[in-house]
Amino acid sequence: MGFLRIDESKCKKDGICASECPVAIIRLKDKNSVPAIIPGREEACLICGHCVAVCPHGALSHTRVPIEACPPVEENLILNEKQAVQFLRSRRSIRVYKDKAVEKEKIQKLIENARYAPTGSNSQLVEWRVITDKNQMHELSGMAVNWLRDVVAGKTQRAPLPYMAGIIAAWDAGYDAILRNAPSLVVAYSPKEASNGMVDLTLALSYLDLVAPAMGLGTCWAGLLQGALLSYPDLKQKMGLPAEYPYHYPMMLGYPKFKYHRLPERKPPGIRWD
């Protein structure tokens, strides 16, 4: 059976695990046999855990994804459609934060939840950098403002946007409109070996982004800092991101100062049907 572990007293030999396997390496020889890995195909396993999760009988385990580490779905916690829609629509970009540090334990828990986001071929190559030092964050913002000065002055290939001059003016007046005085910065990054790296880390950040409000926290994607990171290798080095990690994106994190009470509308989606 290789790395599959089958409880034959529970297995119904229904072939659900074989049908669900993304790389089709599980088979049942006949209707009286239990599931097994096709000989010589072990290397193809994605270690995704689908076989463990899909078995309705709890009969299958995997040495790398043991059933003991895979809790059952609790039906009472499943969101209905109305709850799911409000959950998604109530998510806001937070740009005004309380002057309160985010506990390390909460950040750890957020990242632990974010690791369940899907990754290409289940590679799980997303890594994390957390910055909570205010002086360091101020320096990062200053370097991003310098990048904006170059953009506005026409020294880069990027066209300036109307709001950029205002952000520079705010900085010169003593207000940080880059990182918004957020108490924490979380950066997700992936190595060049991650062929789907930018998508992988974006999904991971989205998971973190959506879980944060349930823990009393708010987030904001730090797009201006990301723009500077793509242009200034020194800034990337300052943040402690390895040179061989080309995929990255920063996110502000903190306790929101204000609470939102409505769900803003968005323009209708553009959809083409065939």
Side-chain angles (χ1 to χ4, degrees), residues 14 21 32 57 59 61 76 102 106 109 120 124 142 149 156-157 169 188 190-191 196 198 204 219 230 232 264:
D14 49 26
C21 178
N32 294 315
H57 321 296
S61 187
N76 63 305
V102 181
K106 280 196 173 184
K109 185 178 288 187
Q124 301 183 58
R149 295 187 199 276
T156 70
Q157 294 183 348
S190 291
N196 207 48
M198 198 63 199
T219 59
L230 293 173
Y232 284 179

Side-chain angles (χ1 to χ4, degrees), residues 155-259:
K155 296 180 180 179
T156 70
Q157 294 183 348
R158 178 164 177 170
L161 296 172
Y163 60 79
M164 290 182 173
I167 290 173
I168 296 170
W171 176 265
D172 292 341
Y175 177 71
D176 178 5
I178 300 292
L179 294 180
R180 305 282 178 167
N181 297 318
S184 305
L185 186 71
V186 177
V187 189
Y189 57 103
S190 291
K192 58 185 178 182
E193 292 78 17
S195 58
N196 207 48
M198 198 63 199
V199 175
D200 292 347
L201 68 86
T202 301
L203 288 168
L205 282 170
S206 295
Y207 269 45
L208 186 149
D209 186 34
L210 291 171
V211 173
M215 298 172 64
L217 297 167
T219 59
C220 188
W221 297 70
L224 292 173
L225 183 58
Q226 171 69 1
L229 278 167
L230 293 173
S231 300
Y232 284 179
D234 289 349
L235 176 55
K236 186 175 177 180
Q237 184 178 14
K238 177 74 175 177
M239 290 182 68
L241 301 179
E244 66 273 18
Y245 280 58
Y247 310 110
H248 47 74
Y249 209 101
M251 177 176 283
M252 300 169 236
L253 175 69
Y255 286 96
K257 187 172 183 178
F258 304 110
K259 181 178 180 181

